[in-house]
C-alpha cells in the first residue's frame, strides 16, 4: 500500500544516491563501492516506482473515482424517486437538487396538491413497499462501495476511516427499515441529513460532508 511520507522519503533518498553515483562515477576503491551501492539503490527505486507505485496509484485512483461516482449515482437515483413519490416531477433541472440548500428549500415547500414534499416522501415510503425497497437498494449499493473501498485502500487519514466506518454502520441499520412509522421516521431523518447537510449538533451545513470525506479517501 502507498504511504505518502515514505514515498517522499524514498524520492529524496533516490535523488541523494543519484547525486552520489554521479559524483563517484570515475572513482576507485571505497568510492567505487559507494558508486555501485548508490547505483543499486537508484535502480531498485526506479523498479519500485515502475512495478509497485504506479500500478498501485492507478488502482487507488480508480477505486476512489468509483466511490465518488457511486455516491453521485446514489443521490441522483434517490432524488428521482423522491420527485416521483412526492408528486413533484415538474422540476426542470434535477441535478440542481444535488445542492444541499436547493434540496432543502424545494422539499420543504409544497407540491401542487398543497402537501409538504418531504412529508409526501415519508408517507409514500410508508405506504409503498416498492419505493421503500428502491431507496434501500440505493443505500445498499452505496454501502457495498464504501466497504470495499475502506477494506482495499489503506486509508492513512484516521478521520476519513472513522467517518466511512460510522456511515457504513448507519446505512446497515437503515437497510432493515420496515414500513412502520418509527422506522420510516428514522430513515427519512437519515436521508434528510445526507441531502440537506443537517446535523443535530451543528445545524445545516452548506458543504456536503460525505462528498468532502470521499474526496479525501485516497
Amino acid at each position: 500500500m502507498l504511504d505518502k511520507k515514505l514515498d517522499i522519503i524514498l524520492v529524496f533518498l533516490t535523488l541523494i544516491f543519484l547525486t552520489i553515483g554521479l559524483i563517484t562515477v570515475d572513482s576507485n576503491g571505497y568510492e567505487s563501492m559507494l558508486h555501485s551501492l548508490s547505483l543499486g539503490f537508484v535502480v531498485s527505486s526506479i523498479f519500485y516506482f515502475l512495478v509497485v507505485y504506479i500500478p498501485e496509484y492507478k488502482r487507488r485512483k480508480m477505486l476512489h473515482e468509483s466511490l465518488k461516482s457511486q455516491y453521485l449515482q446514489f443521490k441522483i437515483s434517490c432524488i428521482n424517486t423522491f420527485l416521483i413519490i412526492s408528486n413533484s416531477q415538474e422540476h426542470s433541472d434535477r441535478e440542481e437538487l444535488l445542492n444541499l440548500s436547493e434540496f432543502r428549500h424545494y422539499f420543504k415547500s409544497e407540491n401542487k396538491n398543497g402537501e409538504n414534499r418531504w412529508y409526501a416522501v415519508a408517507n409514500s415510503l410508508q405506504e409503498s413497499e416498492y419505493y421503500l425497497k428502491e431507496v434501500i437498494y440505493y443505500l445498499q449499493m452505496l454501502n457495498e462501495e464504501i466497504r470495499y473501498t475502506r477494506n482495499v485502500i489503506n486509508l492513512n487519514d484516521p478521520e476519513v476511516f472513522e467517518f466511512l466506518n460510522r456511515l457504513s454502520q448507519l446505512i446497515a441499520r437503515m437497510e432493515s427499515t420496515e414500513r412502520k412509522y418509527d422506522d420510516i421516521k428514522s430513515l427519512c431523518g437519515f436521508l434528510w441529513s445526507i441531502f440537506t447537510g443537517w446535523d443535530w449538533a451543528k445545524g445545516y451545513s452548506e458543504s456536503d460532508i460525505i462528498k468532502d470525506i470521499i474526496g479525501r479517501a485516497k
Side-chain angles (χ1 to χ4, degrees):
M1 295 295 181
L2 302 181
D3 187 306
K4 291 181 179 179
K5 291 183 179 179
L6 290 178
D7 290 331
I8 292 172
I9 292 173
L10 180 58
V11 170
F12 181 71
L13 290 175
T14 301
L15 292 174
I16 290 177
F17 280 108
L18 178 61
T19 302
I20 293 173
L22 292 173
I23 293 174
T24 58
V25 65
D26 294 322
S27 302
N28 297 313
Y30 290 111
E31 290 186 353
S32 177
M33 184 181 297
L34 183 60
H35 170 76
S36 298
L37 291 174
S38 299
L39 184 61
F41 185 90
V42 171
V43 170
S44 298
S45 297
I46 293 173
F47 181 81
Y48 165 78
F49 280 105
L50 291 176
V51 176
V52 178
Y53 180 87
I54 293 176
E56 179 68 5
Y57 174 80
K58 289 181 178 179
R59 185 179 71 92
R60 289 169 66 95
K61 185 177 181 180
M62 179 182 66
L63 292 173
H64 179 245
E65 291 300 321
S66 178
L67 179 56
K68 286 172 59 179
S69 176
Q70 185 63 51
Y71 180 58
L72 177 61
Q73 186 58 51
F74 157 76
K75 295 193 75 173
I76 291 176
S77 297
C78 282
I79 286 171
N80 286 333
T81 298
F82 296 158
L83 291 174
I84 292 172
I85 62 181
S86 66
N87 195 21
S88 306
Q89 291 178 277
E90 71 280 359
H91 196 283
S92 57
D93 187 356
R94 300 184 178 195
E95 291 194 4
E96 285 184 0
L97 296 173
L98 292 170
N99 180 280
L100 302 182
S101 59
E102 177 64 23
F103 185 98
R104 182 166 66 243
H105 172 75
Y106 187 73
F107 279 94
K108 271 187 173 182
S109 61
E110 296 180 347
N111 60 20
K112 57 187 177 183
N113 296 329
E115 184 180 15
N116 177 281
R117 288 189 172 91
W118 194 245
Y119 289 159
V121 169
N123 291 336
S124 296
L125 290 177
Q126 187 171 6
E127 294 170 1
S128 173
E129 185 174 359
Y130 172 80
Y131 286 116
L132 176 58
K133 286 184 176 180
E134 281 288 291
V135 172
I136 291 175
Y137 171 76
Y138 303 146
L139 284 167
Q140 288 173 333
M141 292 300 98
L142 175 61
N143 204 15
E144 285 186 12
E145 195 73 29
I146 291 172
R147 287 170 174 169
Y148 184 75
T149 302
R150 190 191 59 198
N151 292 332
V152 173
I153 295 181
N154 182 25
L155 297 174
N156 298 313
D157 189 331
E159 184 182 358
V160 173
F161 181 86
E162 290 299 324
F163 182 92
L164 292 179
N165 189 48
R166 291 195 304 271
L167 178 60
S168 179
Q169 292 174 353
L170 285 170
I171 293 175
R173 289 182 60 188
M174 296 302 112
E175 290 174 5
S176 61
T177 299
E178 298 180 358
R179 289 189 297 125
K180 300 176 182 178
Y181 175 79
D182 289 340
D183 279 16
I184 297 299
K185 182 179 179 181
S186 179
L187 173 63
C188 287
F190 177 63
L191 293 171
W192 184 258
S193 68
I194 292 176
F195 286 89
T196 67
W198 168 253
D199 182 273
W200 286 104
K202 302 177 181 178
Y204 286 110
S205 170
E206 296 306 318
S207 176
D208 188 335
I209 187 172
I210 297 178
K211 182 179 178 181
D212 295 341
I213 289 291
I214 289 175
R216 292 164 54 188
K218 299 180 180 179

